[in-house]
Structure formats: structure tokens, C-alpha cells
Amino acid sequence: YIRAPKGKGAALHRHATEEVFLPIHGRWQVFWIEGEQERTLDLDEGDMCNVPIGIYRGFRNVSDNPDALLIAVVGGPDAGKVDWHPSVVAEARKTGLSVDDEGNLIVEKQPAA
């Protein structure tokens, strides 16, 4: 279950599995990269969207509903690590973050003084 304020959600990422999105409350947008172009699909309550394996995808709340709720289901018994899109990693590095071997965004270690 995911709750996020308007305009917020998850940045472009991919899994070694499919991912299904189902809005319970509010309107949500799923976006993905096709070639070099970003595509979007707006989902209303009860709509469903499946993103195939290997596709960079993200989602965001596009409603004014303060109770916006999205179900995201990652297929299979092991979703594996998150693979962030290179643009997400580049933006994270500008803020002092990095990515560990498991795909987690972490604070970059400060050099020893």
C-alpha cells in the first residue's frame, strides 16, 4: 500500500519482475520509459495497470484526495533489488546520496578528516 501527497510517488526504477498498480482512493499516474520517451497512464479508482519485467517505471499521486491510496504488487516470490534509472541516480548524487549493491539510496560516506 502506498500513500503519497499530490505530485509525489516513486521515481523511475525497475525490478526483475512485473509490477501491477491498482488505485484504491484517488487518481494515480504510472509512467515508464519506452525507448528514450517517457509515457504515462492515468488510473482512476479500480483501474489496473501491469508493467512488464525490465521496464523502468514510476508512479505518482495526481489527485487532490488526501486519502489517496495505491496498491503496488511486485510479482514472484523475490522482487530482487531495485534498479534505479540512471537519471534518478544522477539526481540523487547531487544531493549527497549514492546507491548500494542492493539498490538502496544511501548517504554517501564522508571522507575521513
Side-chain angles (χ1 to χ4, degrees):
Y1 292 98
I2 298 150
R3 290 192 188 277
K6 184 174 184 174
K8 303 295 182 185
L12 284 169
H13 66 284
R14 64 183 174 187
H15 304 277
T17 65
E18 301 174 295
E19 191 166 13
V20 176
F21 299 99
L22 173 65
I24 301 302
H25 297 295
R27 186 176 180 89
W28 291 79
Q29 184 176 77
V30 175
F31 54 97
W32 66 95
I33 297 294
E34 188 174 308
E36 295 296 316
Q37 189 171 14
E38 183 176 295
R39 304 279 187 181
T40 64
L41 178 66
D42 289 354
L43 302 174
D44 289 313
E45 295 173 6
D47 289 343
M48 189 178 298
C49 173
N50 177 50
V51 180
I53 295 169
I55 302 293
Y56 281 107
R57 82 289 302 257
F59 54 87
R60 59 184 146 247
N61 174 7
V62 292
S63 73
D64 291 319
N65 186 336
D67 296 318
L69 180 67
L70 176 71
I71 294 176
V73 180
V74 179
D78 181 7
K81 71 177 192 126
V82 172
D83 180 22
W84 297 100
H85 190 268
S87 66
V88 174
V89 175
E91 287 299 311
R93 285 193 173 124
K94 290 179 186 176
T95 69
L97 297 176
S98 186
V99 178
D100 67 15
D101 292 339
E102 299 302 313
N104 300 306
L105 290 171
I106 58 170
V107 175
E108 187 70 45
K109 291 182 180 178
Q110 300 296 321

